[in-house]
Amino acid sequence: MRCMISLKEGIMTVDVASKSPALVSLFNDPNQVITLDANFLIPPDRQMSSVKGIPFSLFQTCWLKPIFDLFPNLAIHEAVRDELVSRDIKTFIQNKVNAMPSEIIIHKDSELTAVEYMLRDSIEDRIYPYTRYDPQIDNRDDRGEVKTLAYIAVKGLIYFAAHDYNAIQLVEKAESWSTGLDTVQAIKMYEIIFFLYVRNPSIRKSLRMLYKYQYYLTAKEKSMNPEWGLFVESMKSLYQDCLSEL
């Protein structure tokens, strides 16, 4: 069974009308385990001739360092670590692994019990037809997200942070697509951008740049998503109860 859905990349939309239970929970307790997809770690490059990608040095300053400072239990699956090809990000992650104590959790399939292995395989079988991953050949395309999602579902971990339309769909359409990911909650990049805006005012200018690059760059995005000022004010209004308790 392959590709039941179109794998075209959808527009990453920003929802400022309904609360994210995951973001509310993180405001209340940022110490929870958050498992990251590769796109949360790799500097974005939208490969547009008119706009350059974000350099690693800037991405590290405005994104990587702040999220690791504010969320002490970030995690990645070993398959995602294997996807990291840039020397800069590989070194960054390895330094986190080598820190004493370690500053990142690495999910390893070798840690699964025999029963968990079987459950993991069952969930992978449900997920992979909606992706470009084929377990028969164990190709790299979408391998990290499939392995990650199956692992955290089996382990009862809740939060999956991603900036990838198809990966988020696997979580948000878990019931209708029967992916087995009903207990997983997706955390989107703009939600963490807002979290950082609230908790780290010193990087607000850089966060504005990152938001615009990821969500407000093309004409289509500008027709669908709020500009930065409206985004911030709308999110403040939406999450005012969380902010009043900080």
Side-chain angles (χ1 to χ4, degrees):
M1 181 172 61
R2 292 296 305 155
C3 296
M4 295 187 228
I5 62 168
S6 167
L7 293 177
K8 290 183 179 179
E9 187 71 13
I11 295 290
M12 297 298 293
T13 56
V14 175
D15 181 3
V16 294
S18 54
K19 279 185 180 179
S20 161
L23 184 55
V24 171
S25 182
L26 291 179
F27 269 120
N28 292 329
D29 180 12
N31 298 315
Q32 300 174 81
V33 175
I34 305 170
T35 302
L36 309 178
D37 198 6
N39 45 64
F40 251 56
L41 298 169
I42 300 171
D45 185 350
R46 300 189 62 178
Q47 299 182 343
M48 299 170 64
S49 59
S50 59
V51 183
K52 294 181 179 179
I54 297 177
F56 178 80
S57 57
L58 177 56
F59 191 64
Q60 181 177 10
T61 300
C62 76
W63 182 253
L64 291 175
K65 187 178 185 301
I67 64 172
F68 276 90
D69 285 345
L70 289 174
F71 300 107
N73 289 304
L74 296 181
I76 57 172
H77 191 276
E78 58 189 347
V80 167
R81 183 173 62 177
D82 293 343
E83 287 182 4
L84 304 175
V85 296
S86 162
R87 179 183 299 177
D88 287 332
I89 188 58
K90 287 178 70 173
T91 300
F92 179 88
I93 294 301
Q94 193 57 49
N95 288 340
K96 294 295 181 185
V97 172
N98 294 341
M100 297 297 289
S102 177
E103 295 175 352
I104 189 169
I105 300 165
I106 305 295
H107 297 321
K108 299 178 181 178
D109 285 343
S110 61
E111 298 169 347
L112 297 171
T113 66
V115 172
E116 288 172 337
Y117 260 114
M118 290 188 292
L119 290 172
R120 189 279 310 270
D121 290 346
S122 174
I123 293 174
E124 279 193 13
D125 285 344
R126 298 187 195 185
I127 296 173
Y128 87 82
Y130 297 94
T131 73
R132 296 179 177 85
Y133 178 63
D134 185 344
Q136 297 299 317
I137 60 175
D138 198 28
N139 58 304
R140 292 178 63 89
D141 297 333
D142 294 338
R143 184 177 187 271
E145 69 188 40
V146 172
K147 295 292 184 182
T148 297
L149 287 166
Y151 182 97
I152 64 177
V154 166
K155 285 294 190 179
L157 299 170
I158 300 174
Y159 302 117
F160 173 65
H163 185 74
D164 179 279
Y165 178 82
N166 291 326
I168 292 171
Q169 292 292 287
L170 290 170
V171 175
E172 295 191 337
K173 295 187 177 180
E175 183 176 354
S176 60
W177 289 359
S178 298
T179 60
L181 302 175
D182 305 70
T183 61
V184 178
Q185 294 183 30
I187 298 173
K188 299 165 186 175
M189 181 171 274
Y190 72 83
E191 293 170 346
I192 301 302
I193 287 174
F194 178 66
F195 188 99
L196 295 179
Y197 174 90
V198 172
R199 299 293 296 270
N200 192 342
S202 67
I203 59 170
R204 286 178 177 177
K205 184 176 180 180
S206 296
L207 292 174
R208 175 178 178 270
M209 173 277 302
L210 182 60
Y211 173 86
K212 291 180 67 176
Y213 189 85
Q214 295 287 62
Y215 297 101
Y216 203 73
L217 193 59
T218 68
K220 183 70 172 177
E221 289 167 349
K222 290 178 179 179
S223 71
M224 298 177 64
N225 292 330
E227 53 82 25
W228 172 252
L230 180 58
F231 163 72
V232 169
E233 292 308 313
S234 298
M235 292 290 277
K236 284 181 179 178
S237 177
L238 190 61
Y239 293 95
Q240 58 183 331
D241 292 344
C242 299
L243 305 184
S244 64
E245 297 174 0
L246 294 178

